């Protein structure tokens, strides 16, 4: 293998490029118009444009990607994960072009590509599967009848799904029809297949997966397990290896089942066998069932790399080149403990709505036992076209407690401004009492979501720092006039100014009084006295709050200032009189909370609606989001239709004004 094309983008493309470079393999990046200046494009030896931003017109165009490989003389293609990584037709086309595909044979992908067929295959191979319905009949009556037979709660799953898409948990029969419709629609839009299966929902489920690896010589091993139970909306949030509380007997049983599953389909390369585990009575060898197989490298593979000391991408490349695995099962080690936290541009306080924005500040931690995989740099923009992941934060420690402590500290050192992120949510999750004790299941986040995502009011000290930053009293914005910080200066006595922020009810004035280099700030949370000890570095400003000296960070945007202190980030929007003047009075409306595609409109003008009733279904960043009625009322006007592409803030629907 001399030249490798990576048929992907973002952090996984960057991660593959790093290993290929270390192995002396030249690399080729592909990019859409939105990614022309992306990090993976800059890192590769060569880069080829493949089309407009929508993935269907760029990263999913197999012929265009193969043409790019031919153009550059690439003799191998690595698919990363997502996009074409589990498309068997793509594998066939790559191999027909005389190019090596870094992954399993198309036959293995086809065998595991549909969840229902995969479960039937596993049953024949002697691997236990979750009780459910995997039949061909897809009429709503049959599926609802099967759900009654299985017993509620049940899980509806798009058979071609992945990443939580096309998946709905249903607690009672009355909710089944709507959930089935949503799962079908999401399965069709994401995978081109509305076919669904029904499974029993395990009451205290743990999601534990086994990393497997096979070569072209018939050797298959497993690389132990990862616990991926911390999920929201069926998407993984924090993963770890090994699984807490995992007894050796069960690890051996799960590993044996995973290897048996891989051997049954002649698997080659990196793959993951996902199991659902009943954790209600601890981990027992008779309480795990096959769920699905991901026939590719996983997002969370770095935790396995940390505890085994292996580079899974290097193994992929060597196996694809025909080399045998350099070890057998007895050579697989397990050293220490590792966590991975996925940092996303999303608003946890708004049910994890994906966000966009330009990363005006991006400071990611480093140091012993800390690894960051990312595909963005400071100044990059998070767009609505792709998954809003900013980075993966991976940490290692000699045991679980030390690794978790390192994760908490690393999250506290993470500083992102320009887009709302889930960092504060991740920090709370890392400190969760049950999680810290290893008591995990897939329902942890859902049960404690209110506490984990609560938006605490900023403390007086943070408000005071933000006021000083707005008034240029510390960490001025690059390009400021040299004397901007002297605005309001007096040669004698105290100088008084006021910062103005956007509050929940309008303008909030924060008076600042300066006297001989000391400040008194009157905030809504109380009066604060402070002085700047060292303001040379905006990332590490030393401020004295009375007798206590603290380190804070400042990030400026055009519309806001963000204060980083005590491991949290507080964003303060600048007040704009012009913006308020433009808002106007208007009636009650429902607006798009993010850019997206209108998938469904549930009501029409003249309809009477109740608070919380579904109005419009919006698809953004690969997930569906339902916009609901803010109050009881009558629909005055619907401004959008299914298929419309809307921007953030676009009015979707208006209610008649209340008398």
């Amino acid at each position: 293998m001399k030249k490798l094309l990576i048929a992907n983008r973002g952090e996984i493309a960057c991660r593959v490029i790093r290993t290929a470079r270390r192995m002396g393999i030249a690399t080729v990046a592909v990019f859409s118009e939105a990614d022309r200046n992306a990090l993976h494009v800059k890192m590769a030896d060569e880069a080829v444009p493949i089309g407009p931003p929508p993935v269907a017109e760029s990263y999913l165009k197999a012929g265009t990607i193969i043409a790019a490989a031919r153009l550059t003389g690439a003799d191998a293609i690595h698919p990363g994960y997502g996009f074409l990584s589990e498309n068997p037709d793509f594998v066939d086309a790559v191999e027909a072009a005389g190019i090596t595909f870094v992954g399993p044979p198309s036959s293995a992908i086809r065998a595991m590509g549909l969840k229902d067929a995969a479960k039937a295959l596993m049953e024949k191979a002697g691997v236990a599967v979750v009780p459910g319905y995997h039949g061909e009949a897809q009429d709503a009556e049959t599926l609802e009848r099967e759900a009654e037979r299985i017993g509620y709660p049940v899980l509806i799953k798009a058979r071609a799904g992945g990443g939580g898409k096309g998946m709905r948990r249903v607690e009672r029969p009355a909710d089944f029809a709507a959930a089935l419709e949503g799962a079908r629609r999401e399965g069709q839009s994401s995978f081109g297949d509305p076919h669904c299966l029904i499974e029993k929902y395990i009451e205290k489920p743990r999601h534990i997966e086994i990393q497997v690896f096979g070569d072209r010589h018939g050797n298959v091993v497993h690389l132990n397990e990862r616990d991926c139970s911390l999920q929201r909306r069926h998407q993984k949030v924090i993963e770890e290896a090994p699984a807490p509380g995992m007894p050796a007997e069960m690890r051996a049983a799960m590993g044996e089942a995973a290897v048996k599953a891989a051997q049954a389909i002649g698997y080659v390369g990196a793959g993951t066998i996902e199991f659902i585990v009943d954790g209600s009575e601890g981990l027992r060898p008779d309480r795990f069932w096959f769920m699905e197989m991901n026939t590719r490298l996983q997002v969370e593979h770095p935790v396995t790399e940390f505890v085994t000391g292996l580079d899974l991408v290097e193994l992929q490349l060597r196996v694809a080149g025909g080399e045998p695995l350099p070890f057998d099962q007895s050579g697989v080690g397990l050293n220490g403990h590792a966590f991975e936290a996925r940092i996303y541009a999303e608003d946890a306080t708004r049910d994890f709505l994906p966000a966009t924005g330009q990363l005006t500040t991006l400071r990611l931690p480093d140091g012993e036992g800390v690894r960051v995989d990312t595909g963005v740099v400071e100044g990059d923009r998070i767009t609505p076209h792709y998954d809003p992941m900013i980075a993966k934060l991976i940490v290692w420690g000699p045991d679980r407690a030390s690794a978790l402590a390192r994760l908490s500290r690393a999250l506290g050192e993470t500083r992102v401004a320009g887009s709302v992120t889930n960092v504060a949510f991740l920090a709370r999750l890392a400190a969760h009492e049950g999680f810290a004790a290893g008591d995990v299941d897939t329902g942890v986040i859902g049960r404690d979501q209110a506490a984990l995502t609560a938006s605490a009011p900023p403390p007086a000290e943070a408000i005071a720092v933000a006021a000083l930053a707005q008034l240029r009293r510390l960490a001025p914005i690059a390009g400021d006039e040299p004397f901007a910080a002297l605005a309001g200066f007096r040669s004698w006595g105290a100088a008084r100014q006021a910062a103005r922020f956007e509050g929940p009810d309008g303008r909030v004035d924060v008076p600042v009084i300066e006297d001989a280099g000391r400040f008194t700030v009157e905030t809504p949370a109380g009066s604060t006295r402070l002085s700047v000890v060292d303001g040379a570095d905006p990332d590490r400003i030393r401020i004295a709050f009375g007798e206590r000296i603290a380190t804070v960070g400042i990030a400026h945007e055009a519309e806001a200032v963000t204060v980083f202190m005590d491991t949290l980030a507080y964003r303060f929007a600048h007040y704009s009189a012009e913006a308020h003047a433009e808002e106007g009075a208007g009636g009650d409306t429902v607006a798009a909370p993010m850019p997206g595609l209108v998938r469904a409109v549930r009501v029409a003008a003249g309809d009477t609606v109740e608070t919380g009733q579904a109005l419009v279904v919006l698809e953004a960043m690969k997930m569906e989001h339902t916009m609901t009625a803010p109050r009881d009322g009558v629909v005055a006007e619907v401004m959008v239709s299914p298929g419309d592409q809307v921007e953030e803030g676009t009015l979707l629907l208006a209610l008649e004004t209340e008398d």
Side-chain angles (χ1 to χ4, degrees):
M1 191 180 299
K2 296 180 179 179
K3 184 180 287 188
L4 176 70
L5 183 144
I6 300 94
N8 217 295
R9 64 177 301 281
E11 62 87 14
I12 184 57
C14 296
R15 189 262 173 275
V16 173
I17 290 170
R18 290 189 185 97
T19 289
R21 177 180 295 163
R22 180 173 55 78
M23 295 175 66
I25 300 172
T27 56
V28 180
V30 293
F31 62 92
S32 71
E33 292 172 4
D35 282 339
R36 180 171 294 276
N37 297 312
L39 181 60
H40 75 283
V41 176
K42 297 174 182 176
M43 287 180 61
D45 298 302
E46 300 175 68
V48 180
I50 54 172
V55 295
E57 301 176 44
S58 52
Y59 294 103
L60 290 180
K61 293 187 70 173
T64 302
I65 290 172
I66 293 171
R70 285 177 168 152
L71 174 68
T72 56
D75 55 356
I77 292 179
H78 192 301
Y81 41 69
F83 295 149
L84 294 168
S85 63
E86 294 180 281
N87 185 321
D89 294 334
F90 178 60
V91 179
D92 289 339
V94 169
E95 294 179 343
I99 301 170
T100 298
F101 179 76
V102 182
S106 60
S107 58
I109 298 176
R110 286 192 175 92
M112 290 297 188
L114 298 178
K115 292 182 175 66
D116 52 356
K119 290 176 187 296
L121 180 62
M122 290 300 99
E123 285 182 309
K124 290 181 181 178
V127 179
V129 302
V130 181
Y133 172 75
H134 315 128
E136 285 298 319
Q138 285 293 293
D139 59 281
E141 294 76 13
T142 296
L143 295 179
E144 194 159 1
R145 187 167 58 250
E146 289 296 326
E148 292 278 5
R149 177 186 63 81
I150 296 165
Y152 287 91
V154 298
L155 204 59
I156 303 174
K157 300 172 72 173
R159 69 173 180 178
K165 303 175 192 68
M167 191 179 297
R168 300 288 190 277
R169 176 181 173 177
V170 188
E171 296 285 348
R172 56 198 182 105
D175 299 329
F176 186 87
L180 176 62
E181 180 186 352
R184 281 174 165 168
R185 186 173 54 250
E186 209 163 77
Q188 178 65 46
S189 64
S190 297
F191 311 104
D193 185 352
H195 195 114
C196 290
L197 53 87
I198 315 294
E199 288 183 351
K200 176 66 178 173
Y201 185 83
I202 308 301
E203 289 296 344
K204 191 175 181 181
R206 287 179 63 174
H207 182 144
I208 300 177
E209 59 190 31
I210 302 291
Q211 176 74 60
V212 294
F213 227 103
D215 62 24
R216 299 183 187 277
H217 304 275
N219 303 306
V220 180
V221 299
H222 72 82
L223 307 182
N224 300 312
E225 81 280 359
R226 296 184 290 258
D227 195 312
C228 307
S229 298
L230 288 189
Q231 303 179 6
R232 50 106 177 115
R233 293 204 301 254
H234 306 292
Q235 289 190 309
K236 301 165 186 175
V237 176
I238 295 180
E239 302 97 344
E240 62 181 302
M246 174 64 76
E249 180 186 10
M250 184 168 180
R251 176 176 293 123
M254 293 186 75
E256 181 182 349
V259 168
K260 187 185 299 183
Q263 289 173 329
I265 59 172
Y267 199 77
V268 175
T272 299
I273 311 294
E274 300 195 349
F275 294 98
I276 192 74
V277 178
D278 181 355
S280 59
E281 299 179 41
L283 297 182
R284 293 170 41 178
D286 62 343
R287 295 291 182 90
F288 69 88
W289 301 275
F290 172 86
M291 189 164 55
E292 63 185 10
M293 181 178 189
N294 288 308
T295 52
R296 53 169 169 79
L297 195 66
Q298 290 281 87
V299 178
E300 58 273 19
H301 75 273
V303 296
T304 295
E305 293 183 322
F306 252 145
V307 297
T308 62
L310 299 170
D311 183 329
L312 299 195
V313 172
E314 179 177 349
L315 281 178
Q316 283 187 298
L317 298 176
R318 294 193 181 283
V319 164
E323 295 183 30
L325 287 171
F327 51 82
D328 59 16
Q329 193 62 58
S330 65
V332 178
L334 182 59
N335 177 34
H337 205 98
F339 289 96
E340 175 181 293
R342 303 185 186 190
I343 300 174
Y344 278 97
E346 64 182 13
D347 191 343
T349 66
R350 300 172 65 195
D351 199 25
F352 303 101
L353 281 177
T356 58
Q358 186 173 16
L359 301 175
T360 54
T361 296
L362 182 61
R363 305 284 191 274
L364 300 172
D366 57 13
E368 182 183 358
V370 177
R371 164 179 164 181
V372 175
D373 285 8
T374 184
V376 296
V377 295
E378 190 169 279
D380 282 355
R381 181 170 293 278
I382 304 297
T383 74
H385 302 296
Y386 311 114
D387 186 275
M389 181 187 288
I390 295 172
K392 301 186 312 192
L393 175 60
I394 311 104
V395 300
W396 178 90
D399 51 47
R400 189 173 190 271
S402 61
L404 189 56
R406 185 165 280 165
L407 175 64
S408 294
R409 181 170 183 83
L411 287 167
E413 295 172 351
T414 301
R415 296 179 176 179
V416 185
S419 175
V420 63
T421 75
N422 66 340
V423 173
F425 161 72
L426 292 172
R428 287 195 181 111
L429 191 54
H432 185 276
E433 183 178 0
F435 178 49
D439 183 13
V440 296
D441 64 78
T442 60
V444 167
I445 293 175
R447 289 193 300 272
D448 297 338
Q449 184 169 331
L452 291 168
T453 62
S455 181
E461 291 180 350
I463 300 173
V465 171
L468 293 185
Q470 187 187 89
L471 297 174
R472 311 293 196 270
R473 294 308 192 196
L474 45 85
I477 301 173
D480 272 351
E481 290 293 329
F483 299 103
L486 296 179
F489 171 79
R490 294 173 56 165
S491 59
W492 67 91
R496 182 185 181 92
Q497 291 180 281
R500 289 181 174 177
F501 296 111
E502 186 68 61
D505 301 315
R507 190 179 85 186
V508 176
D509 288 344
V510 181
V512 176
I513 301 171
E514 180 181 1
D515 190 2
R518 296 180 180 275
F519 300 93
T520 301
V521 184
E522 302 295 338
T523 79
S527 178
T528 297
R529 296 178 64 84
L530 66 157
S531 60
V532 180
V533 177
D534 182 359
D537 182 356
D539 289 335
R540 294 185 57 81
I541 301 171
R542 303 281 285 169
I543 295 181
F545 299 99
E547 297 298 319
R548 183 175 74 95
I549 297 178
T551 301
V552 303
I554 298 292
H556 288 281
E557 306 168 48
E559 303 85 10
V561 60
T562 300
V563 177
F564 302 96
M565 63 184 302
D566 298 329
T567 75
L568 294 176
Y570 303 96
R571 186 176 187 272
F572 299 88
H574 302 314
Y575 177 79
S576 170
E578 293 79 5
H580 280 272
E582 293 172 0
E583 285 175 0
D588 286 351
T589 58
V590 176
M594 82 290 282
L597 180 71
V598 177
R599 278 292 175 193
V601 177
R602 303 291 192 195
V603 294
D607 287 355
T608 299
V609 298
E610 299 178 351
T611 303
Q613 181 177 333
L615 304 177
V616 179
V617 178
L618 191 67
E619 181 184 293
M621 296 178 179
K622 305 180 183 179
M623 296 295 292
E624 286 192 354
H625 308 273
T626 300
M627 307 298 108
T628 60
R631 61 171 173 83
D632 295 351
V634 176
V635 177
E637 183 181 5
V638 177
M639 290 88 155
V640 294
S641 301
D644 287 352
Q645 187 73 41
V646 297
E647 296 299 320
E648 180 177 355
T650 299
L651 294 183
L652 307 176
L653 178 147
L655 301 179
E656 290 184 0
T657 304
E658 292 182 300
D659 295 332

